[in-house]
Amino acid sequence: MANFEIEGEMTSQMFNERFLAALDSINEGSMEKVAAAASQMTRRKLREDAISPAIIPHEDVTNADLDYFLDERIGIICEMEPDSYGAKTISFEDTADTVPYYGVKYVLEFYANTTPEWTKNVDRLRTYRGDLREIITDNSLRDLSRQKDVKFFKLVDSIVGVKRGGISDAGLEQNVVYGGRLNRDNFISSTMLLRDRQLLNGVFVVNARTWTEFARWKREEMGGDFSQDLVLKGNKAWETARMFDVDFIVTMKHDLVPNGVMYQFTKPNYLGRAGVLQKPTMYVKKDKDILRFSCREKLGVAIANVAGVQKVTFAALANATGGDGRLTPNEISNYFDNGVDPGSKF
């Protein structure tokens, strides 16, 4: 694999020319992510990094850490703190009960995420003025980051159960619904859900629209003049995304974290383990004039203490428009065609 580094000032076009020249010596290999530089391309949207590693930190894993399985799975056998039976009061003449104990074990299994294999004729790349490092690395890495979160929140949803207000497989109410909007009363109540299970609050996850609900809190709810600061400064009024001693992750991935939904997680050491067997790597192959490249990573996430996960829905926000007062097409038609006052609904 050709090794090419950026030294000093270099325009995107200069880099592209060096990149094209280096392709002649490429047979097959991998290229670690290089720092993304400013691009002349017009971006389609803002792309986020993965948020799941901020919930369960991903530790590096080597082959020596892997355990042997008869079915040749790739994974690690992890241990979980055993439960205890407590203590009791006895008389001086009594002896303690005999109870066998054992450690609970679970498997951290690894899987691969990959982008499609992109193909391009190298001659078609000669006129590009955009930074090819971004074209083939930045977006692919963001796509891997997204898939990492897709896999994680599917796991979380399978734990809490799909039925709102129902009981999870663990026998817990882990998919609860509060009526109305995200106000101070129901938010405070929600912060006790994990604590009622003798677990600490770790990090809560909401999307950007749900987070802005805190800006609706008036002075009597927010306390002091902070509600005024939110009006004048917007999100800059927050030094950190933190409310009532709880840290928040605010995401733009509204399809993974819907409007009006708040995922709650306990501290990582009470939750599970996550590991990275292979960091995101770009594989490049040149066959005559055709360039093929794809990005791949190998990782695993295991939530062992399923009681440490909670999903909360605030009913007034959980609809297509986020509960912000916008009218549906039928309501708009009734208002303009029939003179119905839509304000009466709200």
Side-chain angles (χ1 to χ4, degrees), residues 187-251:
F187 173 68
I188 290 296
S189 297
S190 75
T191 63
M192 296 305 298
L193 295 172
L194 293 177
R195 289 184 176 274
D196 287 343
R197 299 177 198 145
Q198 297 179 298
L199 292 169
L200 296 172
N201 286 324
V203 65
F204 291 2
V205 181
V206 294
N207 70 30
R209 176 177 287 278
T210 304
W211 176 253
T212 59
E213 283 297 303
F214 289 117
R216 298 182 189 272
W217 288 16
K218 297 179 175 58
R219 181 185 176 92
E220 61 271 17
E221 286 186 297
M222 187 63 71
D225 294 325
F226 189 67
S227 57
Q228 175 179 302
D229 293 339
L230 285 171
V231 173
L232 299 178
K233 301 178 183 179
N235 287 334
K236 292 182 179 179
W238 300 92
E239 293 183 5
T240 58
R242 188 175 179 86
M243 290 283 290
F244 292 95
D245 201 32
V246 175
D247 291 315
F248 278 82
I249 294 174
V250 183
T251 179

Side-chain angles (χ1 to χ4, degrees), residues 271-298:
L271 192 56
R273 287 186 64 185
V276 177
L277 188 59
Q278 176 185 308
K279 294 181 179 180
T281 303
M282 185 70 69
Y283 289 91
V284 183
K285 179 180 180 180
K286 181 173 178 289
D287 184 10
K288 296 182 180 178
D289 290 335
I290 301 300
L291 173 65
R292 303 176 183 273
F293 54 90
S294 64
C295 201
R296 187 179 180 91
E297 67 177 352
K298 298 173 185 176

